[in-house]
Amino acid sequence: MKIAFIASEAVPFVKTGGLADVAGVLPKALEKLGCEVKVYIPKYSIIDESQFNLLYRQDIGEIKIKVADKIRIIKLYQGKLPNSNVTVIFIDCPWYFHRESVYTNDPDEDERFILFCRGAIEAMRMEKWSPDIIHCNDWQTGLIPLYIKDNFRKDPIFVRTKTLLSIHNIGYQGRFPRESLDKADLNQTYYFSEGPVEINDSFSFLKTGIWFADIITTVSETYAREILTSEYGKGLENALILRRDSLYGILNGVDYNYWDPAIDNYLPFHYSGKDLSGKLKDKEYLLNHFNLKFDVNVPLIGIISRLVDQKGFDIFSDALPELIKLNAQWVIIGNGEPRYENIFRSLTLKYPDKVASFIGFSIELSHLVEAGSDIFLMPSHYEPCGLTQIYSLKYGTVPIVRKTGGLADTVQDWDELQYQGFDTGNGFSFNDYSGYALFSSVKRAIDTFPHKDTWNKIRQNGMIKDFSWDKSARKYVSLYENLISKQN
Ligand code: ADP
Ligand code: GLC
């Protein structure tokens, strides 16, 4: 089975969030199950090429693509996902991808990803590589299902090709003016109120994908149910309800070759569930790094996050005056909206003995905080899957989460389950999206922390859970197989 996996970011080449983690690993898990997989990503100038051996595909040479009535030239480069045979095709177009960041607010953001969609399709045509499935991810790839059903309908390369769209976050819909249809060489007849591509007087790449993909998936079972409601569907719930027979929730997995405290290259000290002594040393190392005092008896609460509304920083701010009075230390790694960045900057200045922060993106620190913290906080308003809490379970760092999306599917509340006579809880969770509910959960965790046997049980419950990709990758393969077996 041939799978083209198209995404706007993938580790180890370029990452702004969890999509990159998924796109860098799921294709390898699919390969292990016997699929032939090629990954397609843009060749951004921020990719550090010196680290990777990328080969220019001279045999293919320059490809001309028309976007917004202008001819753009693309070239293909080729690499591999580490420790695998998965080919990665980089779509090179300096005009669009040599920018300061992966995503921009530039007026031609639509053109950048129109070119990417067209570029990936052209790459397959030029290589005469006919995929059984094109697996698209998020709005940046949302036009591909329509291109395959319309513009390339008669192309022999794609006659048997089916498309699948994975929604990693419905909050990002790729909305542009209707003129973008012309830029994309798509027919204006698709655009009408509440039709296949329109939402609130704009043309949405994500809605287009939802409408035209043969199958839609999202990254947890709970989120698959939530996005059918007006509370979580962000205006796309009706389009999804129309397609609900083709909508599936498949929980993301984790790459334990990379996210495992027993072998993690970024950690000064390794550890496992059997011997947690290295974890305490990592905590000491982390606190030293940030000039905070080390005290075994004071819990350290870690946050690693994009600092955006989705992640619950408004209720966090509401709870702050009470949170800061608790006997705990805090370390935050994040970047995003200036107002949230400033909250953490000023907290750090105001409480230098209690709070440390790094406002920016640091993969090394993200691993260190997973390991060195006692508690991991993720109070998201919504969370399609969430990977950081799954990493924290493996690192023996007890998560506190709001019960939504993938957080609800991966974290089991200790108190609630214990009350029911089970002792399988692996974290703390709350329902109400409020500062008070958040505060109460943090308080419960901090009050439990001194009870070492209980704390250890919660921690071990998390560490033994297995979220490796194998099971979820099998679910994708069976969806692919179902699709292929269907008549056209
Ligand atoms: P999302 O994709 O919504 O940002 P996830 O929890 O799925 O949330 O994935 C976030 C990924 O990005 C994780 O691998 C996390 O470690 C990483 N990450 C988030 N913020 C930072 C940061 N400031 N520095 C380094 N890594 C970060
Ligand atoms: C998105 C979501 C996150 C998910 C990630 C990978 O960015 O916000 O919940 O884990 O994609 O699927």
Side-chain angles (χ1 to χ4, degrees), residues 170-171 173 175 194-195 198-200 204 207 210 227-241:
I170 209 154
Q173 303 183 347
R175 291 196 197 184
E194 295 183 30
E198 191 272 353
I199 175 167
N200 293 343
S204 157
K207 184 169 186 187
I210 289 172
I227 52 179
L228 296 173
T229 66
S230 56
E231 192 183 349
Y232 291 98
K234 305 259 176 197
L236 288 175
E237 58 276 10
N238 290 335
L240 283 162
I241 287 169

mmCIF file with all atom_site columns, all heavy atoms in Angstrom, residues 170-171 173 175 194-195 198-200 204 207 210 227-241:
data_model
loop_
_atom_site.group_PDB
_atom_site.id
_atom_site.type_symbol
_atom_site.label_atom_id
_atom_site.label_alt_id
_atom_site.label_comp_id
_atom_site.label_asym_id
_atom_site.label_entity_id
_atom_site.label_seq_id
_atom_site.pdbx_PDB_ins_code
_atom_site.Cartn_x
_atom_site.Cartn_y
_atom_site.Cartn_z
_atom_site.occupancy
_atom_site.B_iso_or_equiv
_atom_site.pdbx_formal_charge
_atom_site.auth_seq_id
_atom_site.auth_comp_id
_atom_site.auth_asym_id
_atom_site.auth_atom_id
_atom_site.pdbx_PDB_model_num
ATOM 1   N N   . ILE A 1 170 ? -9.080  22.064 15.193 1.00 0.00 ? 170 ILE A N   1
ATOM 2   C CA  . ILE A 1 170 ? -10.109 22.703 14.366 1.00 0.00 ? 170 ILE A CA  1
ATOM 3   C C   . ILE A 1 170 ? -10.131 24.218 14.551 1.00 0.00 ? 170 ILE A C   1
ATOM 4   O O   . ILE A 1 170 ? -10.809 24.952 13.827 1.00 0.00 ? 170 ILE A O   1
ATOM 5   C CB  . ILE A 1 170 ? -11.492 22.069 14.650 1.00 0.00 ? 170 ILE A CB  1
ATOM 6   C CG1 . ILE A 1 170 ? -12.355 22.170 13.394 1.00 0.00 ? 170 ILE A CG1 1
ATOM 7   C CG2 . ILE A 1 170 ? -12.179 22.709 15.846 1.00 0.00 ? 170 ILE A CG2 1
ATOM 8   C CD1 . ILE A 1 170 ? -13.399 21.120 13.311 1.00 0.00 ? 170 ILE A CD1 1
ATOM 9   N N   . GLY A 1 171 ? -9.335  24.697 15.509 1.00 0.00 ? 171 GLY A N   1
ATOM 10  C CA  . GLY A 1 171 ? -9.243  26.133 15.752 1.00 0.00 ? 171 GLY A CA  1
ATOM 11  C C   . GLY A 1 171 ? -8.487  26.867 14.647 1.00 0.00 ? 171 GLY A C   1
ATOM 12  O O   . GLY A 1 171 ? -8.570  28.087 14.537 1.00 0.00 ? 171 GLY A O   1
ATOM 13  N N   . GLN A 1 173 ? -8.287  27.198 10.760 1.00 0.00 ? 173 GLN A N   1
ATOM 14  C CA  . GLN A 1 173 ? -9.119  26.756 9.631  1.00 0.00 ? 173 GLN A CA  1
ATOM 15  C C   . GLN A 1 173 ? -8.610  27.231 8.276  1.00 0.00 ? 173 GLN A C   1
ATOM 16  O O   . GLN A 1 173 ? -9.199  26.932 7.253  1.00 0.00 ? 173 GLN A O   1
ATOM 17  C CB  . GLN A 1 173 ? -10.565 27.224 9.852  1.00 0.00 ? 173 GLN A CB  1
ATOM 18  C CG  . GLN A 1 173 ? -11.116 26.719 11.174 1.00 0.00 ? 173 GLN A CG  1
ATOM 19  C CD  . GLN A 1 173 ? -12.560 27.092 11.405 1.00 0.00 ? 173 GLN A CD  1
ATOM 20  O OE1 . GLN A 1 173 ? -13.122 27.926 10.704 1.00 0.00 ? 173 GLN A OE1 1
ATOM 21  N NE2 . GLN A 1 173 ? -13.167 26.458 12.410 1.00 0.00 ? 173 GLN A NE2 1
ATOM 22  N N   . ARG A 1 175 ? -8.542  30.412 6.835  1.00 0.00 ? 175 ARG A N   1
ATOM 23  C CA  . ARG A 1 175 ? -9.619  31.194 6.214  1.00 0.00 ? 175 ARG A CA  1
ATOM 24  C C   . ARG A 1 175 ? -9.044  32.349 5.415  1.00 0.00 ? 175 ARG A C   1
ATOM 25  O O   . ARG A 1 175 ? -8.234  33.117 5.931  1.00 0.00 ? 175 ARG A O   1
ATOM 26  C CB  . ARG A 1 175 ? -10.523 31.769 7.284  1.00 0.00 ? 175 ARG A CB  1
ATOM 27  C CG  . ARG A 1 175 ? -11.339 30.732 8.004  1.00 0.00 ? 175 ARG A CG  1
ATOM 28  C CD  . ARG A 1 175 ? -12.441 31.471 8.710  1.00 0.00 ? 175 ARG A CD  1
ATOM 29  N NE  . ARG A 1 175 ? -13.055 30.670 9.743  1.00 0.00 ? 175 ARG A NE  1
ATOM 30  C CZ  . ARG A 1 175 ? -14.106 31.087 10.450 1.00 0.00 ? 175 ARG A CZ  1
ATOM 31  N NH1 . ARG A 1 175 ? -14.600 32.290 10.240 1.00 0.00 ? 175 ARG A NH1 1
ATOM 32  N NH2 . ARG A 1 175 ? -14.629 30.322 11.370 1.00 0.00 ? 175 ARG A NH2 1
ATOM 33  N N   . GLU A 1 194 ? -22.568 28.504 3.285  1.00 0.00 ? 194 GLU A N   1
ATOM 34  C CA  . GLU A 1 194 ? -22.629 27.186 3.934  1.00 0.00 ? 194 GLU A CA  1
ATOM 35  C C   . GLU A 1 194 ? -22.363 26.026 2.987  1.00 0.00 ? 194 GLU A C   1
ATOM 36  O O   . GLU A 1 194 ? -22.669 24.874 3.290  1.00 0.00 ? 194 GLU A O   1
ATOM 37  C CB  . GLU A 1 194 ? -23.955 27.000 4.677  1.00 0.00 ? 194 GLU A CB  1
ATOM 38  C CG  . GLU A 1 194 ? -24.052 27.984 5.832  1.00 0.00 ? 194 GLU A CG  1
ATOM 39  C CD  . GLU A 1 194 ? -25.298 27.818 6.671  1.00 0.00 ? 194 GLU A CD  1
ATOM 40  O OE1 . GLU A 1 194 ? -25.808 26.700 6.767  1.00 0.00 ? 194 GLU A OE1 1
ATOM 41  O OE2 . GLU A 1 194 ? -25.732 28.829 7.226  1.00 0.00 ? 194 GLU A OE2 1
ATOM 42  N N   . GLY A 1 195 ? -21.770 26.321 1.843  1.00 0.00 ? 195 GLY A N   1
ATOM 43  C CA  . GLY A 1 195 ? -21.417 25.263 0.890  1.00 0.00 ? 195 GLY A CA  1
ATOM 44  C C   . GLY A 1 195 ? -20.088 24.604 1.247  1.00 0.00 ? 195 GLY A C   1
ATOM 45  O O   . GLY A 1 195 ? -19.599 24.742 2.367  1.00 0.00 ? 195 GLY A O   1
ATOM 46  N N   . GLU A 1 198 ? -17.177 27.389 2.079  1.00 0.00 ? 198 GLU A N   1
ATOM 47  C CA  . GLU A 1 198 ? -17.442 28.696 2.697  1.00 0.00 ? 198 GLU A CA  1
ATOM 48  C C   . GLU A 1 198 ? -17.752 28.591 4.189  1.00 0.00 ? 198 GLU A C   1
ATOM 49  O O   . GLU A 1 198 ? -18.457 27.694 4.628  1.00 0.00 ? 198 GLU A O   1
ATOM 50  C CB  . GLU A 1 198 ? -18.640 29.352 1.972  1.00 0.00 ? 198 GLU A CB  1
ATOM 51  C CG  . GLU A 1 198 ? -18.861 30.802 2.333  1.00 0.00 ? 198 GLU A CG  1
ATOM 52  C CD  . GLU A 1 198 ? -19.755 31.036 3.554  1.00 0.00 ? 198 GLU A CD  1
ATOM 53  O OE1 . GLU A 1 198 ? -20.357 30.082 4.097  1.00 0.00 ? 198 GLU A OE1 1
ATOM 54  O OE2 . GLU A 1 198 ? -19.829 32.194 3.989  1.00 0.00 ? 198 GLU A OE2 1
ATOM 55  N N   . ILE A 1 199 ? -17.189 29.518 4.947  1.00 0.00 ? 199 ILE A N   1
ATOM 56  C CA  . ILE A 1 199 ? -17.600 29.680 6.340  1.00 0.00 ? 199 ILE A CA  1
ATOM 57  C C   . ILE A 1 199 ? -17.478 31.156 6.702  1.00 0.00 ? 199 ILE A C   1
ATOM 58  O O   . ILE A 1 199 ? -16.431 31.780 6.442  1.00 0.00 ? 199 ILE A O   1
ATOM 59  C CB  . ILE A 1 199 ? -16.785 28.778 7.299  1.00 0.00 ? 199 ILE A CB  1
ATOM 60  C CG1 . ILE A 1 199 ? -17.173 29.078 8.744  1.00 0.00 ? 199 ILE A CG1 1
ATOM 61  C CG2 . ILE A 1 199 ? -15.285 28.874 7.124  1.00 0.00 ? 199 ILE A CG2 1
ATOM 62  C CD1 . ILE A 1 199 ? -16.675 28.061 9.740  1.00 0.00 ? 199 ILE A CD1 1
ATOM 63  N N   . ASN A 1 200 ? -18.568 31.713 7.235  1.00 0.00 ? 200 ASN A N   1
ATOM 64  C CA  . ASN A 1 200 ? -18.588 33.127 7.640  1.00 0.00 ? 200 ASN A CA  1
ATOM 65  C C   . ASN A 1 200 ? -17.956 34.063 6.619  1.00 0.00 ? 200 ASN A C   1
ATOM 66  O O   . ASN A 1 200 ? -17.015 34.805 6.936  1.00 0.00 ? 200 ASN A O   1
ATOM 67  C CB  . ASN A 1 200 ? -17.865 33.317 8.974  1.00 0.00 ? 200 ASN A CB  1
ATOM 68  C CG  . ASN A 1 200 ? -18.605 32.645 10.093 1.00 0.00 ? 200 ASN A CG  1
ATOM 69  O OD1 . ASN A 1 200 ? -19.778 32.318 9.935  1.00 0.00 ? 200 ASN A OD1 1
ATOM 70  N ND2 . ASN A 1 200 ? -17.937 32.419 11.201 1.00 0.00 ? 200 ASN A ND2 1
ATOM 71  N N   . SER A 1 204 ? -12.469 28.558 3.439  1.00 0.00 ? 204 SER A N   1
ATOM 72  C CA  . SER A 1 204 ? -11.640 27.849 4.415  1.00 0.00 ? 204 SER A CA  1
ATOM 73  C C   . SER A 1 204 ? -11.014 26.598 3.798  1.00 0.00 ? 204 SER A C   1
ATOM 74  O O   . SER A 1 204 ? -11.712 25.730 3.275  1.00 0.00 ? 204 SER A O   1
ATOM 75  C CB  . SER A 1 204 ? -12.496 27.451 5.626  1.00 0.00 ? 204 SER A CB  1
ATOM 76  O OG  . SER A 1 204 ? -11.921 26.358 6.299  1.00 0.00 ? 204 SER A OG  1
ATOM 77  N N   . LYS A 1 207 ? -12.256 23.534 5.800  1.00 0.00 ? 207 LYS A N   1
ATOM 78  C CA  . LYS A 1 207 ? -13.611 23.081 5.450  1.00 0.00 ? 207 LYS A CA  1
ATOM 79  C C   . LYS A 1 207 ? -13.583 22.342 4.110  1.00 0.00 ? 207 LYS A C   1
ATOM 80  O O   . LYS A 1 207 ? -14.265 21.328 3.928  1.00 0.00 ? 207 LYS A O   1
ATOM 81  C CB  . LYS A 1 207 ? -14.577 24.262 5.386  1.00 0.00 ? 207 LYS A CB  1
ATOM 82  C CG  . LYS A 1 207 ? -15.988 23.788 5.121  1.00 0.00 ? 207 LYS A CG  1
ATOM 83  C CD  . LYS A 1 207 ? -17.044 24.853 5.291  1.00 0.00 ? 207 LYS A CD  1
ATOM 84  C CE  . LYS A 1 207 ? -18.426 24.226 5.140  1.00 0.00 ? 207 LYS A CE  1
ATOM 85  N NZ  . LYS A 1 207 ? -19.486 25.223 5.131  1.00 0.00 ? 207 LYS A NZ  1
ATOM 86  N N   . ILE A 1 210 ? -12.540 18.914 4.783  1.00 0.00 ? 210 ILE A N   1
ATOM 87  C CA  . ILE A 1 210 ? -13.592 18.149 5.476  1.00 0.00 ? 210 ILE A CA  1
ATOM 88  C C   . ILE A 1 210 ? -14.658 17.708 4.478  1.00 0.00 ? 210 ILE A C   1
ATOM 89  O O   . ILE A 1 210 ? -15.175 16.608 4.514  1.00 0.00 ? 210 ILE A O   1
ATOM 90  C CB  . ILE A 1 210 ? -14.209 19.008 6.609  1.00 0.00 ? 210 ILE A CB  1
ATOM 91  C CG1 . ILE A 1 210 ? -13.201 19.165 7.743  1.00 0.00 ? 210 ILE A CG1 1
ATOM 92  C CG2 . ILE A 1 210 ? -15.521 18.412 7.097  1.00 0.00 ? 210 ILE A CG2 1
ATOM 93  C CD1 . ILE A 1 210 ? -13.618 20.142 8.836  1.00 0.00 ? 210 ILE A CD1 1
ATOM 94  N N   . ILE A 1 227 ? -16.077 17.789 18.456 1.00 0.00 ? 227 ILE A N   1
ATOM 95  C CA  . ILE A 1 227 ? -16.132 18.730 17.319 1.00 0.00 ? 227 ILE A CA  1
ATOM 96  C C   . ILE A 1 227 ? -17.470 18.689 16.573 1.00 0.00 ? 227 ILE A C   1
ATOM 97  O O   . ILE A 1 227 ? -17.705 19.496 15.681 1.00 0.00 ? 227 ILE A O   1
ATOM 98  C CB  . ILE A 1 227 ? -14.957 18.542 16.327 1.00 0.00 ? 227 ILE A CB  1
ATOM 99  C CG1 . ILE A 1 227 ? -14.832 17.091 15.887 1.00 0.00 ? 227 ILE A CG1 1
ATOM 100 C CG2 . ILE A 1 227 ? -13.663 19.073 16.911 1.00 0.00 ? 227 ILE A CG2 1
ATOM 101 C CD1 . ILE A 1 227 ? -13.699 16.862 14.883 1.00 0.00 ? 227 ILE A CD1 1
ATOM 102 N N   . LEU A 1 228 ? -18.337 17.771 16.980 1.00 0.00 ? 228 LEU A N   1
ATOM 103 C CA  . LEU A 1 228 ? -19.682 17.776 16.389 1.00 0.00 ? 228 LEU A CA  1
ATOM 104 C C   . LEU A 1 228 ? -20.615 18.740 17.125 1.00 0.00 ? 228 LEU A C   1
ATOM 105 O O   . LEU A 1 228 ? -21.784 18.880 16.771 1.00 0.00 ? 228 LEU A O   1
ATOM 106 C CB  . LEU A 1 228 ? -20.279 16.360 16.436 1.00 0.00 ? 228 LEU A CB  1
ATOM 107 C CG  . LEU A 1 228 ? -19.527 15.309 15.613 1.00 0.00 ? 228 LEU A CG  1
ATOM 108 C CD1 . LEU A 1 228 ? -20.105 13.917 15.861 1.00 0.00 ? 228 LEU A CD1 1
ATOM 109 C CD2 . LEU A 1 228 ? -19.608 15.638 14.125 1.00 0.00 ? 228 LEU A CD2 1
ATOM 110 N N   . THR A 1 229 ? -20.096 19.396 18.158 1.00 0.00 ? 229 THR A N   1
ATOM 111 C CA  . THR A 1 229 ? -20.942 20.304 18.943 1.00 0.00 ? 229 THR A CA  1
ATOM 112 C C   . THR A 1 229 ? -20.558 21.761 18.679 1.00 0.00 ? 229 THR A C   1
ATOM 113 O O   . THR A 1 229 ? -19.425 22.048 18.270 1.00 0.00 ? 229 THR A O   1
ATOM 114 C CB  . THR A 1 229 ? -20.748 20.052 20.461 1.00 0.00 ? 229 THR A CB  1
ATOM 115 O OG1 . THR A 1 229 ? -19.398 20.415 20.819 1.00 0.00 ? 229 THR A OG1 1
ATOM 116 C CG2 . THR A 1 229 ? -20.973 18.592 20.808 1.00 0.00 ? 229 THR A CG2 1
ATOM 117 N N   . SER A 1 230 ? -21.521 22.667 18.953 1.00 0.00 ? 230 SER A N   1
ATOM 118 C CA  . SER A 1 230 ? -21.216 24.079 18.693 1.00 0.00 ? 230 SER A CA  1
ATOM 119 C C   . SER A 1 230 ? -20.160 24.586 19.678 1.00 0.00 ? 230 SER A C   1
ATOM 120 O O   . SER A 1 230 ? -19.437 25.538 19.388 1.00 0.00 ? 230 SER A O   1
ATOM 121 C CB  . SER A 1 230 ? -22.475 24.921 18.770 1.00 0.00 ? 230 SER A CB  1
ATOM 122 O OG  . SER A 1 230 ? -23.081 24.716 20.020 1.00 0.00 ? 230 SER A OG  1
ATOM 123 N N   . GLU A 1 231 ? -20.039 23.938 20.836 1.00 0.00 ? 231 GLU A N   1
ATOM 124 C CA  . GLU A 1 231 ? -19.047 24.405 21.802 1.00 0.00 ? 231 GLU A CA  1
ATOM 125 C C   . GLU A 1 231 ? -17.613 24.203 21.293 1.00 0.00 ? 231 GLU A C   1
ATOM 126 O O   . GLU A 1 231 ? -16.733 25.027 21.535 1.00 0.00 ? 231 GLU A O   1
ATOM 127 C CB  . GLU A 1 231 ? -19.235 23.673 23.136 1.00 0.00 ? 231 GLU A CB  1
ATOM 128 C CG  . GLU A 1 231 ? -18.445 24.307 24.262 1.00 0.00 ? 231 GLU A CG  1
ATOM 129 C CD  . GLU A 1 231 ? -18.563 23.532 25.568 1.00 0.00 ? 231 GLU A CD  1
ATOM 130 O OE1 . GLU A 1 231 ? -19.418 22.623 25.666 1.00 0.00 ? 231 GLU A OE1 1
ATOM 131 O OE2 . GLU A 1 231 ? -17.771 23.844 26.479 1.00 0.00 ? 231 GLU A OE2 1
ATOM 132 N N   . TYR A 1 232 ? -17.396 23.115 20.577 1.00 0.00 ? 232 TYR A N   1
ATOM 133 C CA  . TYR A 1 232 ? -16.020 22.786 20.163 1.00 0.00 ? 232 TYR A CA  1
ATOM 134 C C   . TYR A 1 232 ? -15.788 22.792 18.649 1.00 0.00 ? 232 TYR A C   1
ATOM 135 O O   . TYR A 1 232 ? -14.651 22.743 18.205 1.00 0.00 ? 232 TYR A O   1
ATOM 136 C CB  . TYR A 1 232 ? -15.627 21.405 20.703 1.00 0.00 ? 232 TYR A CB  1
ATOM 137 C CG  . TYR A 1 232 ? -15.452 21.369 22.200 1.00 0.00 ? 232 TYR A CG  1
ATOM 138 C CD1 . TYR A 1 232 ? -16.466 20.908 23.030 1.00 0.00 ? 232 TYR A CD1 1
ATOM 139 C CD2 . TYR A 1 232 ? -14.265 21.815 22.774 1.00 0.00 ? 232 TYR A CD2 1
ATOM 140 C CE1 . TYR A 1 232 ? -16.304 20.886 24.412 1.00 0.00 ? 232 TYR A CE1 1
ATOM 141 C CE2 . TYR A 1 232 ? -14.096 21.794 24.151 1.00 0.00 ? 232 TYR A CE2 1
ATOM 142 C CZ  . TYR A 1 232 ? -15.121 21.330 24.965 1.00 0.00 ? 232 TYR A CZ  1
ATOM 143 O OH  . TYR A 1 232 ? -14.945 21.316 26.318 1.00 0.00 ? 232 TYR A OH  1
ATOM 144 N N   . GLY A 1 233 ? -16.877 22.852 17.879 1.00 0.00 ? 233 GLY A N   1
ATOM 145 C CA  . GLY A 1 233 ? -16.725 22.698 16.428 1.00 0.00 ? 233 GLY A CA  1
ATOM 146 C C   . GLY A 1 233 ? -16.225 23.946 15.719 1.00 0.00 ? 233 GLY A C   1
ATOM 147 O O   . GLY A 1 233 ? -15.892 23.904 14.541 1.00 0.00 ? 233 GLY A O   1
ATOM 148 N N   . LYS A 1 234 ? -16.187 25.068 16.439 1.00 0.00 ? 234 LYS A N   1
ATOM 149 C CA  . LYS A 1 234 ? -15.671 26.326 15.882 1.00 0.00 ? 234 LYS A CA  1
ATOM 150 C C   . LYS A 1 234 ? -16.312 26.674 14.536 1.00 0.00 ? 234 LYS A C   1
ATOM 151 O O   . LYS A 1 234 ? -15.620 27.073 13.585 1.00 0.00 ? 234 LYS A O   1
ATOM 152 C CB  . LYS A 1 234 ? -14.150 26.266 15.714 1.00 0.00 ? 234 LYS A CB  1
ATOM 153 C CG  . LYS A 1 234 ? -13.416 25.905 16.979 1.00 0.00 ? 234 LYS A CG  1
ATOM 154 C CD  . LYS A 1 234 ? -12.830 27.138 17.627 1.00 0.00 ? 234 LYS A CD  1
ATOM 155 C CE  . LYS A 1 234 ? -12.182 26.789 18.945 1.00 0.00 ? 234 LYS A CE  1
ATOM 156 N NZ  . LYS A 1 234 ? -11.939 27.882 19.814 1.00 0.00 ? 234 LYS A NZ  1
ATOM 157 N N   . GLY A 1 235 ? -17.619 26.433 14.439 1.00 0.00 ? 235 GLY A N   1
ATOM 158 C CA  . GLY A 1 235 ? -18.336 26.790 13.222 1.00 0.00 ? 235 GLY A CA  1
ATOM 159 C C   . GLY A 1 235 ? -18.329 25.699 12.166 1.00 0.00 ? 235 GLY A C   1
ATOM 160 O O   . GLY A 1 235 ? -19.055 25.779 11.173 1.00 0.00 ? 235 GLY A O   1
ATOM 161 N N   . LEU A 1 236 ? -17.523 24.675 12.349 1.00 0.00 ? 236 LEU A N   1
ATOM 162 C CA  . LEU A 1 236 ? -17.476 23.607 11.338 1.00 0.00 ? 236 LEU A CA  1
ATOM 163 C C   . LEU A 1 236 ? -18.287 22.386 11.756 1.00 0.00 ? 236 LEU A C   1
ATOM 164 O O   . LEU A 1 236 ? -18.267 21.354 11.080 1.00 0.00 ? 236 LEU A O   1
ATOM 165 C CB  . LEU A 1 236 ? -16.010 23.215 11.070 1.00 0.00 ? 236 LEU A CB  1
ATOM 166 C CG  . LEU A 1 236 ? -15.213 24.255 10.281 1.00 0.00 ? 236 LEU A CG  1
ATOM 167 C CD1 . LEU A 1 236 ? -13.743 23.875 10.165 1.00 0.00 ? 236 LEU A CD1 1
ATOM 168 C CD2 . LEU A 1 236 ? -15.809 24.420 8.882  1.00 0.00 ? 236 LEU A CD2 1
ATOM 169 N N   . GLU A 1 237 ? -19.024 22.517 12.883 1.00 0.00 ? 237 GLU A N   1
ATOM 170 C CA  . GLU A 1 237 ? -19.749 21.343 13.378 1.00 0.00 ? 237 GLU A CA  1
ATOM 171 C C   . GLU A 1 237 ? -20.797 20.827 12.387 1.00 0.00 ? 237 GLU A C   1
ATOM 172 O O   . GLU A 1 237 ? -20.952 19.607 12.234 1.00 0.00 ? 237 GLU A O   1
ATOM 173 C CB  . GLU A 1 237 ? -20.371 21.609 14.762 1.00 0.00 ? 237 GLU A CB  1
ATOM 174 C CG  . GLU A 1 237 ? -21.342 22.774 14.851 1.00 0.00 ? 237 GLU A CG  1
ATOM 175 C CD  . GLU A 1 237 ? -20.652 24.123 15.050 1.00 0.00 ? 237 GLU A CD  1
ATOM 176 O OE1 . GLU A 1 237 ? -19.414 24.185 14.926 1.00 0.00 ? 237 GLU A OE1 1
ATOM 177 O OE2 . GLU A 1 237 ? -21.349 25.116 15.295 1.00 0.00 ? 237 GLU A OE2 1
ATOM 178 N N   . ASN A 1 238 ? -21.458 21.747 11.669 1.00 0.00 ? 238 ASN A N   1
ATOM 179 C CA  . ASN A 1 238 ? -22.486 21.259 10.747 1.00 0.00 ? 238 ASN A CA  1
ATOM 180 C C   . ASN A 1 238 ? -21.871 20.508 9.566  1.00 0.00 ? 238 ASN A C   1
ATOM 181 O O   . ASN A 1 238 ? -22.403 19.482 9.127  1.00 0.00 ? 238 ASN A O   1
ATOM 182 C CB  . ASN A 1 238 ? -23.367 22.410 10.261 1.00 0.00 ? 238 ASN A CB  1
ATOM 183 C CG  . ASN A 1 238 ? -24.253 22.918 11.394 1.00 0.00 ? 238 ASN A CG  1
ATOM 184 O OD1 . ASN A 1 238 ? -24.544 22.157 12.330 1.00 0.00 ? 238 ASN A OD1 1
ATOM 185 N ND2 . ASN A 1 238 ? -24.631 24.180 11.344 1.00 0.00 ? 238 ASN A ND2 1
ATOM 186 N N   . ALA A 1 239 ? -20.758 21.019 9.074  1.00 0.00 ? 239 ALA A N   1
ATOM 187 C CA  . ALA A 1 239 ? -20.065 20.315 7.988  1.00 0.00 ? 239 ALA A CA  1
ATOM 188 C C   . ALA A 1 239 ? -19.632 18.928 8.473  1.00 0.00 ? 239 ALA A C   1
ATOM 189 O O   . ALA A 1 239 ? -19.715 17.931 7.743  1.00 0.00 ? 239 ALA A O   1
ATOM 190 C CB  . ALA A 1 239 ? -18.855 21.119 7.530  1.00 0.00 ? 239 ALA A CB  1
ATOM 191 N N   . LEU A 1 240 ? -19.190 18.855 9.717  1.00 0.00 ? 240 LEU A N   1
ATOM 192 C CA  . LEU A 1 240 ? -18.738 17.563 10.253 1.00 0.00 ? 240 LEU A CA  1
ATOM 193 C C   . LEU A 1 240 ? -19.913 16.620 10.499 1.00 0.00 ? 240 LEU A C   1
ATOM 194 O O   . LEU A 1 240 ? -19.798 15.409 10.278 1.00 0.00 ? 240 LEU A O   1
ATOM 195 C CB  . LEU A 1 240 ? -17.957 17.783 11.545 1.00 0.00 ? 240 LEU A CB  1
ATOM 196 C CG  . LEU A 1 240 ? -16.537 18.300 11.307 1.00 0.00 ? 240 LEU A CG  1
ATOM 197 C CD1 . LEU A 1 240 ? -15.957 18.904 12.572 1.00 0.00 ? 240 LEU A CD1 1
ATOM 198 C CD2 . LEU A 1 240 ? -15.640 17.187 10.793 1.00 0.00 ? 240 LEU A CD2 1
ATOM 199 N N   . ILE A 1 241 ? -21.038 17.196 10.939 1.00 0.00 ? 241 ILE A N   1
ATOM 200 C CA  . ILE A 1 241 ? -22.207 16.336 11.177 1.00 0.00 ? 241 ILE A CA  1
ATOM 201 C C   . ILE A 1 241 ? -22.636 15.681 9.856  1.00 0.00 ? 241 ILE A C   1
ATOM 202 O O   . ILE A 1 241 ? -22.962 14.500 9.807  1.00 0.00 ? 241 ILE A O   1
ATOM 203 C CB  . ILE A 1 241 ? -23.359 17.152 11.829 1.00 0.00 ? 241 ILE A CB  1
ATOM 204 C CG1 . ILE A 1 241 ? -22.989 17.447 13.289 1.00 0.00 ? 241 ILE A CG1 1
ATOM 205 C CG2 . ILE A 1 241 ? -24.686 16.403 11.741 1.00 0.00 ? 241 ILE A CG2 1
ATOM 206 C CD1 . ILE A 1 241 ? -23.880 18.450 13.997 1.00 0.00 ? 241 ILE A CD1 1
#
